[in-house]
Amino acid sequence: MSDAIQAIANAKIGFIGAGNMAASILGGLIQSGLPAKQIYVSNPSQGKLDALLERYPDLNTSNDNAYVAENVDYLLLSVKPQKMGLACKPLQALDLNCCVISVAAGVACQTIEELLGKSLAVIRSMPNTPSLIGAGATGLFANQHTSEQQKAAATAIFDAVGLSVWVNDESQMDLVTAVSGSGPAHYFLYMESVVSAAIEQGLPEATARQLAAQTALGAARMVQDNAELEISQLRRNVTSPGGTTAAALDVLNDGGLPELIAKAIKASVVRGKELAEIASKPDNN
């Protein structure tokens, strides 16, 4: 068992929803050393549960959300924001003693408490799709009912699939969603564009894809490994005046790339707030 997972070594972890994110997180937990028999999963359709059982036969699975909630110490609500009310409804009559962790974009801790009809420890998380390969980035926020032990457990859960970072103000979670939750798609679009342009100029597709992916990976590693340097300094370090890099950056800046990215982040934040409103409406409960 890895050192990071020690905070939940004896805990039972539950998932309501068996989609890709739930599968990646529970897979990371098992790979880190948490026994599958300590993990519970519910899902309305049996197909996804059967697929998980084929890979992890010791999992506890059910079509009943209440069964999972009653048996665990930490309950991850890994459903879409629009389905949160429906997922929480069977839990309203329960005397829950678990810490609830929401994986739904835009859904506030207070909304979770209202949907469950009780005050309890709630942690709001925003993981991203690279969690599927153990390279995720997850933002976390805890409400006032959450203990330090529960926060440490949440850190262990999401560190099993990458890196987790806590914020002190829940309003920042919409920005976390924009920067890292939605972020992989932003970088995919940039790499798509680079590959397409390279192919148009005559580079073989496979070569262009390999170079674009490795370059993105290398740039990210340089940012991570040089925390003492501003990202702008790393950019300047590879930009010779009058050179090829400078020529490309001039085009990107003249085209308003920084401003366009700022608009994209803002649009994501606005949509996150809209999803929060959808999740809190009575007709979704």
mmCIF file with all atom_site columns, all heavy atoms in Angstrom, residues 119-136:
data_model
loop_
_atom_site.group_PDB
_atom_site.id
_atom_site.type_symbol
_atom_site.label_atom_id
_atom_site.label_alt_id
_atom_site.label_comp_id
_atom_site.label_asym_id
_atom_site.label_entity_id
_atom_site.label_seq_id
_atom_site.pdbx_PDB_ins_code
_atom_site.Cartn_x
_atom_site.Cartn_y
_atom_site.Cartn_z
_atom_site.occupancy
_atom_site.B_iso_or_equiv
_atom_site.pdbx_formal_charge
_atom_site.auth_seq_id
_atom_site.auth_comp_id
_atom_site.auth_asym_id
_atom_site.auth_atom_id
_atom_site.pdbx_PDB_model_num
ATOM 1   N N   . SER A 1 119 ? -27.479 18.409 7.439   1.00 0.00 ? 119 SER A N   1
ATOM 2   C CA  . SER A 1 119 ? -26.158 19.015 7.532   1.00 0.00 ? 119 SER A CA  1
ATOM 3   C C   . SER A 1 119 ? -25.131 17.922 7.792   1.00 0.00 ? 119 SER A C   1
ATOM 4   O O   . SER A 1 119 ? -25.294 17.116 8.712   1.00 0.00 ? 119 SER A O   1
ATOM 5   C CB  . SER A 1 119 ? -26.115 20.041 8.682   1.00 0.00 ? 119 SER A CB  1
ATOM 6   O OG  . SER A 1 119 ? -27.005 21.113 8.421   1.00 0.00 ? 119 SER A OG  1
ATOM 7   N N   . LEU A 1 120 ? -24.110 17.896 6.986   1.00 0.00 ? 120 LEU A N   1
ATOM 8   C CA  . LEU A 1 120 ? -23.059 16.893 7.139   1.00 0.00 ? 120 LEU A CA  1
ATOM 9   C C   . LEU A 1 120 ? -21.811 17.339 6.398   1.00 0.00 ? 120 LEU A C   1
ATOM 10  O O   . LEU A 1 120 ? -21.822 18.350 5.699   1.00 0.00 ? 120 LEU A O   1
ATOM 11  C CB  . LEU A 1 120 ? -23.531 15.533 6.637   1.00 0.00 ? 120 LEU A CB  1
ATOM 12  C CG  . LEU A 1 120 ? -23.652 15.271 5.130   1.00 0.00 ? 120 LEU A CG  1
ATOM 13  C CD1 . LEU A 1 120 ? -23.938 13.800 4.887   1.00 0.00 ? 120 LEU A CD1 1
ATOM 14  C CD2 . LEU A 1 120 ? -24.736 16.115 4.495   1.00 0.00 ? 120 LEU A CD2 1
ATOM 15  N N   . ALA A 1 121 ? -20.735 16.590 6.582   1.00 0.00 ? 121 ALA A N   1
ATOM 16  C CA  . ALA A 1 121 ? -19.476 16.918 5.919   1.00 0.00 ? 121 ALA A CA  1
ATOM 17  C C   . ALA A 1 121 ? -19.618 16.721 4.420   1.00 0.00 ? 121 ALA A C   1
ATOM 18  O O   . ALA A 1 121 ? -19.979 15.634 3.955   1.00 0.00 ? 121 ALA A O   1
ATOM 19  C CB  . ALA A 1 121 ? -18.359 16.039 6.466   1.00 0.00 ? 121 ALA A CB  1
ATOM 20  N N   . VAL A 1 122 ? -19.340 17.790 3.671   1.00 0.00 ? 122 VAL A N   1
ATOM 21  C CA  . VAL A 1 122 ? -19.415 17.724 2.211   1.00 0.00 ? 122 VAL A CA  1
ATOM 22  C C   . VAL A 1 122 ? -18.126 18.307 1.630   1.00 0.00 ? 122 VAL A C   1
ATOM 23  O O   . VAL A 1 122 ? -17.690 19.390 2.027   1.00 0.00 ? 122 VAL A O   1
ATOM 24  C CB  . VAL A 1 122 ? -20.614 18.504 1.653   1.00 0.00 ? 122 VAL A CB  1
ATOM 25  C CG1 . VAL A 1 122 ? -20.613 18.482 0.128   1.00 0.00 ? 122 VAL A CG1 1
ATOM 26  C CG2 . VAL A 1 122 ? -21.919 17.936 2.177   1.00 0.00 ? 122 VAL A CG2 1
ATOM 27  N N   . ILE A 1 123 ? -17.543 17.582 0.718   1.00 0.00 ? 123 ILE A N   1
ATOM 28  C CA  . ILE A 1 123 ? -16.361 18.053 -0.004  1.00 0.00 ? 123 ILE A CA  1
ATOM 29  C C   . ILE A 1 123 ? -16.723 18.143 -1.481  1.00 0.00 ? 123 ILE A C   1
ATOM 30  O O   . ILE A 1 123 ? -17.270 17.206 -2.055  1.00 0.00 ? 123 ILE A O   1
ATOM 31  C CB  . ILE A 1 123 ? -15.161 17.106 0.198   1.00 0.00 ? 123 ILE A CB  1
ATOM 32  C CG1 . ILE A 1 123 ? -14.720 17.130 1.666   1.00 0.00 ? 123 ILE A CG1 1
ATOM 33  C CG2 . ILE A 1 123 ? -13.995 17.502 -0.716  1.00 0.00 ? 123 ILE A CG2 1
ATOM 34  C CD1 . ILE A 1 123 ? -13.647 16.119 2.010   1.00 0.00 ? 123 ILE A CD1 1
ATOM 35  N N   . ARG A 1 124 ? -16.420 19.266 -2.055  1.00 0.00 ? 124 ARG A N   1
ATOM 36  C CA  . ARG A 1 124 ? -16.666 19.469 -3.483  1.00 0.00 ? 124 ARG A CA  1
ATOM 37  C C   . ARG A 1 124 ? -15.356 19.241 -4.228  1.00 0.00 ? 124 ARG A C   1
ATOM 38  O O   . ARG A 1 124 ? -14.321 19.820 -3.873  1.00 0.00 ? 124 ARG A O   1
ATOM 39  C CB  . ARG A 1 124 ? -17.189 20.883 -3.710  1.00 0.00 ? 124 ARG A CB  1
ATOM 40  C CG  . ARG A 1 124 ? -17.500 21.222 -5.163  1.00 0.00 ? 124 ARG A CG  1
ATOM 41  C CD  . ARG A 1 124 ? -18.134 22.597 -5.207  1.00 0.00 ? 124 ARG A CD  1
ATOM 42  N NE  . ARG A 1 124 ? -18.176 23.124 -6.576  1.00 0.00 ? 124 ARG A NE  1
ATOM 43  C CZ  . ARG A 1 124 ? -18.582 24.340 -6.897  1.00 0.00 ? 124 ARG A CZ  1
ATOM 44  N NH1 . ARG A 1 124 ? -19.005 25.163 -5.945  1.00 0.00 ? 124 ARG A NH1 1
ATOM 45  N NH2 . ARG A 1 124 ? -18.590 24.744 -8.156  1.00 0.00 ? 124 ARG A NH2 1
ATOM 46  N N   . SER A 1 125 ? -15.381 18.399 -5.238  1.00 0.00 ? 125 SER A N   1
ATOM 47  C CA  . SER A 1 125 ? -14.164 18.108 -5.994  1.00 0.00 ? 125 SER A CA  1
ATOM 48  C C   . SER A 1 125 ? -14.375 18.389 -7.473  1.00 0.00 ? 125 SER A C   1
ATOM 49  O O   . SER A 1 125 ? -15.488 18.360 -7.970  1.00 0.00 ? 125 SER A O   1
ATOM 50  C CB  . SER A 1 125 ? -13.756 16.640 -5.810  1.00 0.00 ? 125 SER A CB  1
ATOM 51  O OG  . SER A 1 125 ? -14.635 15.773 -6.512  1.00 0.00 ? 125 SER A OG  1
ATOM 52  N N   . MET A 1 126 ? -13.277 18.663 -8.161  1.00 0.00 ? 126 MET A N   1
ATOM 53  C CA  . MET A 1 126 ? -13.319 18.818 -9.607  1.00 0.00 ? 126 MET A CA  1
ATOM 54  C C   . MET A 1 126 ? -12.095 18.127 -10.202 1.00 0.00 ? 126 MET A C   1
ATOM 55  O O   . MET A 1 126 ? -11.048 18.727 -10.407 1.00 0.00 ? 126 MET A O   1
ATOM 56  C CB  . MET A 1 126 ? -13.328 20.299 -9.996  1.00 0.00 ? 126 MET A CB  1
ATOM 57  C CG  . MET A 1 126 ? -13.573 20.550 -11.484 1.00 0.00 ? 126 MET A CG  1
ATOM 58  S SD  . MET A 1 126 ? -15.208 20.028 -12.030 1.00 0.00 ? 126 MET A SD  1
ATOM 59  C CE  . MET A 1 126 ? -14.853 18.576 -13.014 1.00 0.00 ? 126 MET A CE  1
ATOM 60  N N   . PRO A 1 127 ? -12.207 16.814 -10.448 1.00 0.00 ? 127 PRO A N   1
ATOM 61  C CA  . PRO A 1 127 ? -11.121 16.111 -11.128 1.00 0.00 ? 127 PRO A CA  1
ATOM 62  C C   . PRO A 1 127 ? -11.223 16.326 -12.632 1.00 0.00 ? 127 PRO A C   1
ATOM 63  O O   . PRO A 1 127 ? -12.193 16.901 -13.114 1.00 0.00 ? 127 PRO A O   1
ATOM 64  C CB  . PRO A 1 127 ? -11.379 14.646 -10.755 1.00 0.00 ? 127 PRO A CB  1
ATOM 65  C CG  . PRO A 1 127 ? -12.860 14.572 -10.545 1.00 0.00 ? 127 PRO A CG  1
ATOM 66  C CD  . PRO A 1 127 ? -13.301 15.935 -10.070 1.00 0.00 ? 127 PRO A CD  1
ATOM 67  N N   . ASN A 1 128 ? -10.217 15.889 -13.373 1.00 0.00 ? 128 ASN A N   1
ATOM 68  C CA  . ASN A 1 128 ? -10.297 15.989 -14.826 1.00 0.00 ? 128 ASN A CA  1
ATOM 69  C C   . ASN A 1 128 ? -9.974  14.648 -15.485 1.00 0.00 ? 128 ASN A C   1
ATOM 70  O O   . ASN A 1 128 ? -9.569  13.690 -14.814 1.00 0.00 ? 128 ASN A O   1
ATOM 71  C CB  . ASN A 1 128 ? -9.414  17.122 -15.363 1.00 0.00 ? 128 ASN A CB  1
ATOM 72  C CG  . ASN A 1 128 ? -7.936  16.921 -15.063 1.00 0.00 ? 128 ASN A CG  1
ATOM 73  O OD1 . ASN A 1 128 ? -7.501  15.872 -14.594 1.00 0.00 ? 128 ASN A OD1 1
ATOM 74  N ND2 . ASN A 1 128 ? -7.137  17.943 -15.340 1.00 0.00 ? 128 ASN A ND2 1
ATOM 75  N N   . THR A 1 129 ? -10.172 14.574 -16.781 1.00 0.00 ? 129 THR A N   1
ATOM 76  C CA  . THR A 1 129 ? -10.091 13.290 -17.472 1.00 0.00 ? 129 THR A CA  1
ATOM 77  C C   . THR A 1 129 ? -8.709  12.639 -17.463 1.00 0.00 ? 129 THR A C   1
ATOM 78  O O   . THR A 1 129 ? -8.641  11.406 -17.531 1.00 0.00 ? 129 THR A O   1
ATOM 79  C CB  . THR A 1 129 ? -10.582 13.410 -18.933 1.00 0.00 ? 129 THR A CB  1
ATOM 80  O OG1 . THR A 1 129 ? -9.877  14.473 -19.590 1.00 0.00 ? 129 THR A OG1 1
ATOM 81  C CG2 . THR A 1 129 ? -12.065 13.685 -18.975 1.00 0.00 ? 129 THR A CG2 1
ATOM 82  N N   . PRO A 1 130 ? -7.584  13.372 -17.358 1.00 0.00 ? 130 PRO A N   1
ATOM 83  C CA  . PRO A 1 130 ? -6.305  12.666 -17.230 1.00 0.00 ? 130 PRO A CA  1
ATOM 84  C C   . PRO A 1 130 ? -6.217  11.786 -15.979 1.00 0.00 ? 130 PRO A C   1
ATOM 85  O O   . PRO A 1 130 ? -5.272  10.996 -15.858 1.00 0.00 ? 130 PRO A O   1
ATOM 86  C CB  . PRO A 1 130 ? -5.273  13.805 -17.197 1.00 0.00 ? 130 PRO A CB  1
ATOM 87  C CG  . PRO A 1 130 ? -5.906  14.881 -18.025 1.00 0.00 ? 130 PRO A CG  1
ATOM 88  C CD  . PRO A 1 130 ? -7.361  14.813 -17.648 1.00 0.00 ? 130 PRO A CD  1
ATOM 89  N N   . SER A 1 131 ? -7.201  11.908 -15.083 1.00 0.00 ? 131 SER A N   1
ATOM 90  C CA  . SER A 1 131 ? -7.282  10.974 -13.959 1.00 0.00 ? 131 SER A CA  1
ATOM 91  C C   . SER A 1 131 ? -7.381  9.543  -14.468 1.00 0.00 ? 131 SER A C   1
ATOM 92  O O   . SER A 1 131 ? -6.994  8.592  -13.774 1.00 0.00 ? 131 SER A O   1
ATOM 93  C CB  . SER A 1 131 ? -8.506  11.291 -13.092 1.00 0.00 ? 131 SER A CB  1
ATOM 94  O OG  . SER A 1 131 ? -8.419  12.583 -12.528 1.00 0.00 ? 131 SER A OG  1
ATOM 95  N N   . LEU A 1 132 ? -7.909  9.376  -15.679 1.00 0.00 ? 132 LEU A N   1
ATOM 96  C CA  . LEU A 1 132 ? -8.055  8.050  -16.272 1.00 0.00 ? 132 LEU A CA  1
ATOM 97  C C   . LEU A 1 132 ? -6.712  7.358  -16.462 1.00 0.00 ? 132 LEU A C   1
ATOM 98  O O   . LEU A 1 132 ? -6.646  6.122  -16.513 1.00 0.00 ? 132 LEU A O   1
ATOM 99  C CB  . LEU A 1 132 ? -8.763  8.154  -17.631 1.00 0.00 ? 132 LEU A CB  1
ATOM 100 C CG  . LEU A 1 132 ? -10.208 8.670  -17.606 1.00 0.00 ? 132 LEU A CG  1
ATOM 101 C CD1 . LEU A 1 132 ? -10.672 8.993  -19.015 1.00 0.00 ? 132 LEU A CD1 1
ATOM 102 C CD2 . LEU A 1 132 ? -11.134 7.647  -16.970 1.00 0.00 ? 132 LEU A CD2 1
ATOM 103 N N   . ILE A 1 133 ? -5.628  8.134  -16.560 1.00 0.00 ? 133 ILE A N   1
ATOM 104 C CA  . ILE A 1 133 ? -4.301  7.554  -16.731 1.00 0.00 ? 133 ILE A CA  1
ATOM 105 C C   . ILE A 1 133 ? -3.388  7.895  -15.554 1.00 0.00 ? 133 ILE A C   1
ATOM 106 O O   . ILE A 1 133 ? -2.165  7.806  -15.665 1.00 0.00 ? 133 ILE A O   1
ATOM 107 C CB  . ILE A 1 133 ? -3.658  7.993  -18.063 1.00 0.00 ? 133 ILE A CB  1
ATOM 108 C CG1 . ILE A 1 133 ? -3.546  9.529  -18.137 1.00 0.00 ? 133 ILE A CG1 1
ATOM 109 C CG2 . ILE A 1 133 ? -4.441  7.471  -19.248 1.00 0.00 ? 133 ILE A CG2 1
ATOM 110 C CD1 . ILE A 1 133 ? -2.670  10.017 -19.274 1.00 0.00 ? 133 ILE A CD1 1
ATOM 111 N N   . GLY A 1 134 ? -3.980  8.291  -14.428 1.00 0.00 ? 134 GLY A N   1
ATOM 112 C CA  . GLY A 1 134 ? -3.188  8.587  -13.239 1.00 0.00 ? 134 GLY A CA  1
ATOM 113 C C   . GLY A 1 134 ? -2.473  9.917  -13.280 1.00 0.00 ? 134 GLY A C   1
ATOM 114 O O   . GLY A 1 134 ? -1.557  10.156 -12.493 1.00 0.00 ? 134 GLY A O   1
ATOM 115 N N   . ALA A 1 135 ? -2.879  10.819 -14.177 1.00 0.00 ? 135 ALA A N   1
ATOM 116 C CA  . ALA A 1 135 ? -2.228  12.122 -14.327 1.00 0.00 ? 135 ALA A CA  1
ATOM 117 C C   . ALA A 1 135 ? -3.234  13.254 -14.133 1.00 0.00 ? 135 ALA A C   1
ATOM 118 O O   . ALA A 1 135 ? -3.125  14.311 -14.752 1.00 0.00 ? 135 ALA A O   1
ATOM 119 C CB  . ALA A 1 135 ? -1.561  12.228 -15.690 1.00 0.00 ? 135 ALA A CB  1
ATOM 120 N N   . GLY A 1 136 ? -4.204  13.031 -13.282 1.00 0.00 ? 136 GLY A N   1
ATOM 121 C CA  . GLY A 1 136 ? -5.265  14.004 -13.079 1.00 0.00 ? 136 GLY A CA  1
ATOM 122 C C   . GLY A 1 136 ? -4.854  15.194 -12.241 1.00 0.00 ? 136 GLY A C   1
ATOM 123 O O   . GLY A 1 136 ? -3.837  15.179 -11.542 1.00 0.00 ? 136 GLY A O   1
#
